[in-house]
Amino acid sequence: MELERLADEVEGEMQPWYRAIERRALKNHRRVLEAFRACGVSETHLRGSTGYGYGDPAREVLERVFARVFDAEAALVRGQIVSGTHALALCLFGILRAGDELLSVQGPPYDTLAPVIGWPREAPGSLRSLGVTYREVALRPDGTVDERALREALSRRTRAVLLTRSCGYRWRPALTVDEVARLVAIVKERRPDAVVVVDNCYGEFVEAVEPPAVGADLVAGSLIKNPGGGIAPTGGYVAGRKEYVELASYRLTAPGLGGSVGPTLDWPRLFFQGFFMAPHVVAEALKGAVFTARLFERLGFEVLPRHDQPRGDIVQAVRLGRAEYLEAFCRGLQSASPVDSRARPEPGPLPGYEDPVLMAAGTFVQGASLELTADAPFREPYVVYVQGGLSKEYVRLGVLAAARAVLAAQQYRAGR
Ligand SMILES: *Cc1c(COP(=O)(O)O)cnc(C)c1O
């Protein structure tokens, strides 16, 4: 069947899923709007400070808005946090001390945290180099959490427990907030004073509540993903219990200074506007993910999650199975991008990642992955991870270009 016609059919089929996504977006938009009003965001808060940034009202109100939306006691929302990895490192270095143990509940955490933890290899400056130990609970073969093994792994030394909402570069379902609630309960039953840290990257606004509402102590993420709404030019956040947010802030600046310094420069309007738009843009990205799932199901590929499975993040994985299909997908997507459409993605090394990574990203903000992007570690079974999209229309255009390139590669192979 002609690809455009197939896409029309898929859009028709997906209407009930689109409606469900819109209902959740309305709840989240209402919550964000309510926070803006309750915190009294005003025009003066849209301008930033310079220098030390002492007593910056924009920063203080922005952090109150984030805390409220995340059901957290406090938040640190900063342009000086350069990425999600940085935000998570602030949490871990803030909480953990020599002799403490960090426990990851879903096998290895996201790739870029390996050098932060110093696992599986020692890394200079890592938690391990400071005398923090690390353990992990392997996922069950179906990709779900092994709750019994988790209970057994919790020990007197367990000081922090790391949960990861998004799948990362792994073929596993994302963690839903309901599952976070269950895991928090298991941890707190055994170890009431262990700190549950949730890597919230790609999870914000996918559901109608965030992890602190169900007992997570700290969440962290990137502003060039979901909560930046496609508008924030940089930044990251930490939110949760006040004492832990403070400990994280001492690692961002210095003990004694914490969150009371940090100029906001030209960022406040972009951070406020981005956060305001985020529930809508995340919904566009989710509709795009459902569309991508169904399109590639119809083309005969295995996808995760399937179009009708619950979603805990904005990532759509498609198992392409061959290096040349993966390259075709990424090149097709890149060629349809508004920026850098003439670039040709090649697998290459990326700081913090073990395997070479192939990326298609024609984004307005470098590396911003609430904008439509596709990336994949260049390894078997050549799974592409597609996420983001500022508009559902653009996701269709971009993903169809990718699909066309994959089909051409299949035909080329068949004709050889
Ligand atoms: C993106 C991401 C991170 C952090 O990545 P940065 O590129 O440092 O922002 C961490 N965990 C997960 C699951 C992610 O998706």
Short mmCIF file of all heavy atoms in Angstrom, two decimals, residues 82-86 88 110-113 164-168 172 199-202 221-222 224-225 315 353 367 369, ligand 1:
data_model
loop_
_atom_site.label_atom_id
_atom_site.label_comp_id
_atom_site.label_asym_id
_atom_site.label_seq_id
_atom_site.Cartn_x
_atom_site.Cartn_y
_atom_site.Cartn_z
N VAL A 82 23.43 21.45 33.49
CA VAL A 82 23.61 21.37 32.03
C VAL A 82 22.87 20.22 31.37
O VAL A 82 22.73 20.21 30.14
CB VAL A 82 25.10 21.31 31.62
CG1 VAL A 82 25.82 22.57 32.08
CG2 VAL A 82 25.78 20.08 32.14
N SER A 83 22.41 19.24 32.14
CA SER A 83 21.75 18.10 31.51
C SER A 83 21.07 17.25 32.57
O SER A 83 21.22 17.49 33.77
CB SER A 83 22.78 17.23 30.77
OG SER A 83 23.63 16.61 31.71
N GLY A 84 20.36 16.24 32.10
CA GLY A 84 19.72 15.32 33.03
C GLY A 84 20.74 14.54 33.85
O GLY A 84 20.55 14.32 35.05
N THR A 85 21.83 14.16 33.20
CA THR A 85 22.90 13.44 33.91
C THR A 85 23.43 14.29 35.06
O THR A 85 23.65 13.80 36.17
CB THR A 85 24.06 13.11 32.95
OG1 THR A 85 23.53 12.40 31.83
CG2 THR A 85 25.14 12.29 33.62
N HIS A 86 23.63 15.58 34.77
CA HIS A 86 24.13 16.50 35.79
C HIS A 86 23.14 16.58 36.96
O HIS A 86 23.53 16.48 38.13
CB HIS A 86 24.35 17.87 35.14
CG HIS A 86 25.03 18.87 36.03
ND1 HIS A 86 25.09 20.20 35.71
CD2 HIS A 86 25.67 18.74 37.21
CE1 HIS A 86 25.74 20.86 36.66
NE2 HIS A 86 26.10 19.99 37.59
N LEU A 88 20.95 14.37 37.92
CA LEU A 88 20.98 13.12 38.68
C LEU A 88 22.25 12.99 39.51
O LEU A 88 22.22 12.53 40.65
CB LEU A 88 20.85 11.92 37.73
CG LEU A 88 19.44 11.76 37.17
CD1 LEU A 88 19.46 10.98 35.86
CD2 LEU A 88 18.54 11.05 38.20
N TYR A 110 20.68 4.39 33.36
CA TYR A 110 20.95 4.99 32.05
C TYR A 110 22.45 5.08 31.80
O TYR A 110 23.23 5.36 32.72
CB TYR A 110 20.32 6.39 32.03
CG TYR A 110 20.29 7.03 30.67
CD1 TYR A 110 19.45 6.55 29.68
CD2 TYR A 110 21.12 8.12 30.38
CE1 TYR A 110 19.43 7.14 28.43
CE2 TYR A 110 21.10 8.71 29.14
CZ TYR A 110 20.26 8.22 28.16
OH TYR A 110 20.24 8.81 26.93
N ASP A 111 22.85 4.87 30.55
CA ASP A 111 24.27 4.75 30.16
C ASP A 111 25.19 5.82 30.78
O ASP A 111 26.29 5.51 31.24
CB ASP A 111 24.43 4.83 28.64
CG ASP A 111 23.74 3.69 27.90
OD1 ASP A 111 22.57 3.38 28.25
OD2 ASP A 111 24.34 3.10 27.00
N THR A 112 24.74 7.08 30.77
CA THR A 112 25.64 8.16 31.20
C THR A 112 25.87 8.16 32.71
O THR A 112 26.71 8.92 33.20
CB THR A 112 25.09 9.54 30.81
OG1 THR A 112 23.79 9.69 31.39
CG2 THR A 112 24.98 9.70 29.31
N LEU A 113 25.14 7.33 33.45
CA LEU A 113 25.37 7.29 34.90
C LEU A 113 26.49 6.31 35.27
O LEU A 113 26.97 6.32 36.41
CB LEU A 113 24.09 6.93 35.64
CG LEU A 113 23.01 8.02 35.59
CD1 LEU A 113 21.77 7.60 36.36
CD2 LEU A 113 23.54 9.34 36.12
N THR A 164 14.35 4.27 37.44
CA THR A 164 14.44 4.96 36.15
C THR A 164 13.12 4.79 35.42
O THR A 164 12.71 3.66 35.15
CB THR A 164 15.59 4.37 35.30
OG1 THR A 164 16.78 4.32 36.09
CG2 THR A 164 15.83 5.20 34.06
N ARG A 165 12.46 5.91 35.14
CA ARG A 165 11.15 5.79 34.50
C ARG A 165 11.25 5.37 33.04
O ARG A 165 10.51 4.53 32.58
CB ARG A 165 10.40 7.12 34.59
CG ARG A 165 9.51 7.17 35.80
CD ARG A 165 8.81 8.48 35.89
NE ARG A 165 7.51 8.45 35.27
CZ ARG A 165 6.71 9.52 35.17
NH1 ARG A 165 7.11 10.69 35.63
NH2 ARG A 165 5.53 9.43 34.61
N SER A 166 12.17 6.00 32.32
CA SER A 166 12.23 5.74 30.88
C SER A 166 13.02 4.47 30.60
O SER A 166 13.82 4.02 31.43
CB SER A 166 12.88 6.93 30.19
OG SER A 166 12.93 6.71 28.81
N CYS A 167 12.83 3.91 29.41
CA CYS A 167 13.50 2.66 29.07
C CYS A 167 14.99 2.82 28.80
O CYS A 167 15.73 1.85 28.85
CB CYS A 167 12.83 2.03 27.85
SG CYS A 167 12.87 3.08 26.40
N GLY A 168 15.45 4.07 28.53
CA GLY A 168 16.85 4.24 28.12
C GLY A 168 17.08 3.47 26.84
O GLY A 168 16.14 3.24 26.07
N ARG A 172 12.77 -2.55 27.21
CA ARG A 172 11.96 -2.87 28.39
C ARG A 172 10.85 -1.83 28.49
O ARG A 172 11.01 -0.71 28.01
CB ARG A 172 12.81 -2.87 29.66
CG ARG A 172 13.30 -1.49 30.10
CD ARG A 172 13.51 -1.44 31.61
NE ARG A 172 14.08 -0.19 32.08
CZ ARG A 172 13.36 0.86 32.47
NH1 ARG A 172 12.04 0.85 32.44
NH2 ARG A 172 13.97 1.95 32.90
N ASP A 199 14.98 8.80 38.31
CA ASP A 199 15.39 9.41 37.05
C ASP A 199 14.10 9.63 36.26
O ASP A 199 13.50 8.69 35.74
CB ASP A 199 16.35 8.45 36.33
CG ASP A 199 16.74 8.94 34.94
OD1 ASP A 199 16.10 9.89 34.44
OD2 ASP A 199 17.67 8.36 34.36
N ASN A 200 13.68 10.90 36.20
CA ASN A 200 12.36 11.23 35.64
C ASN A 200 12.43 11.62 34.17
O ASN A 200 11.44 12.04 33.59
CB ASN A 200 11.76 12.40 36.45
CG ASN A 200 10.26 12.34 36.59
OD1 ASN A 200 9.65 11.26 36.47
ND2 ASN A 200 9.63 13.48 36.82
N CYS A 201 13.61 11.51 33.58
CA CYS A 201 13.81 11.93 32.18
C CYS A 201 12.79 11.26 31.25
O CYS A 201 12.62 10.04 31.32
CB CYS A 201 15.21 11.56 31.71
SG CYS A 201 16.49 12.61 32.41
N TYR A 202 12.17 12.04 30.43
CA TYR A 202 11.16 11.59 29.45
C TYR A 202 9.83 11.19 30.08
O TYR A 202 8.91 10.80 29.38
CB TYR A 202 11.66 10.41 28.60
CG TYR A 202 12.69 10.74 27.58
CD1 TYR A 202 13.74 9.86 27.31
CD2 TYR A 202 12.62 11.91 26.83
CE1 TYR A 202 14.70 10.15 26.36
CE2 TYR A 202 13.58 12.21 25.88
CZ TYR A 202 14.61 11.32 25.64
OH TYR A 202 15.55 11.60 24.69
N GLY A 221 15.59 15.68 36.22
CA GLY A 221 15.44 15.58 34.77
C GLY A 221 16.04 16.76 34.06
O GLY A 221 16.66 17.64 34.67
N SER A 222 15.84 16.77 32.76
CA SER A 222 16.46 17.76 31.87
C SER A 222 15.40 18.71 31.32
O SER A 222 14.29 18.29 31.00
CB SER A 222 17.12 17.01 30.71
OG SER A 222 17.43 17.90 29.66
N ILE A 224 15.78 20.24 28.46
CA ILE A 224 15.65 20.11 27.00
C ILE A 224 14.91 18.82 26.64
O ILE A 224 14.86 18.40 25.51
CB ILE A 224 16.98 20.27 26.24
CG1 ILE A 224 17.99 19.20 26.59
CG2 ILE A 224 17.57 21.67 26.50
CD1 ILE A 224 19.21 19.21 25.65
N LYS A 225 14.32 18.22 27.66
CA LYS A 225 13.34 17.15 27.43
C LYS A 225 11.97 17.71 27.88
O LYS A 225 11.74 18.91 27.80
CB LYS A 225 13.74 15.89 28.19
CG LYS A 225 15.03 15.27 27.60
CD LYS A 225 15.43 14.00 28.33
CE LYS A 225 16.67 13.40 27.68
NZ LYS A 225 17.17 12.24 28.45
N VAL A 315 9.20 7.65 24.79
CA VAL A 315 10.10 6.96 23.86
C VAL A 315 9.35 5.84 23.13
O VAL A 315 8.61 5.08 23.74
CB VAL A 315 11.30 6.36 24.63
CG1 VAL A 315 12.23 5.63 23.67
CG2 VAL A 315 12.06 7.46 25.36
N TYR A 353 28.77 7.37 26.79
CA TYR A 353 28.13 6.19 26.22
C TYR A 353 29.18 5.16 25.81
O TYR A 353 30.26 5.50 25.30
CB TYR A 353 27.29 6.56 25.00
CG TYR A 353 26.09 7.41 25.35
CD1 TYR A 353 26.21 8.78 25.50
CD2 TYR A 353 24.84 6.83 25.57
CE1 TYR A 353 25.13 9.57 25.84
CE2 TYR A 353 23.75 7.61 25.92
CZ TYR A 353 23.89 8.98 26.05
OH TYR A 353 22.81 9.74 26.39
N GLY A 367 20.60 18.86 20.59
CA GLY A 367 20.38 17.65 21.37
C GLY A 367 19.02 17.58 22.07
O GLY A 367 18.76 16.63 22.80
N SER A 369 15.63 16.59 22.98
CA SER A 369 14.92 15.40 22.53
C SER A 369 13.45 15.41 22.92
O SER A 369 12.79 14.38 22.85
CB SER A 369 15.64 14.14 22.99
OG SER A 369 16.03 14.25 24.33
C1 LIG B 1 18.21 11.61 28.69
C2 LIG B 1 18.26 10.74 29.85
C3 LIG B 1 19.14 10.96 30.90
C4 LIG B 1 20.08 12.11 30.98
O1 LIG B 1 20.60 12.46 29.78
P1 LIG B 1 21.22 13.90 29.46
O2 LIG B 1 21.55 13.72 28.03
O3 LIG B 1 22.38 14.03 30.35
O4 LIG B 1 20.18 14.94 29.70
C5 LIG B 1 19.10 10.11 31.98
N1 LIG B 1 18.24 9.09 32.01
C6 LIG B 1 17.37 8.85 31.03
C7 LIG B 1 16.42 7.71 31.15
C8 LIG B 1 17.34 9.68 29.92
O5 LIG B 1 16.46 9.45 28.95
#
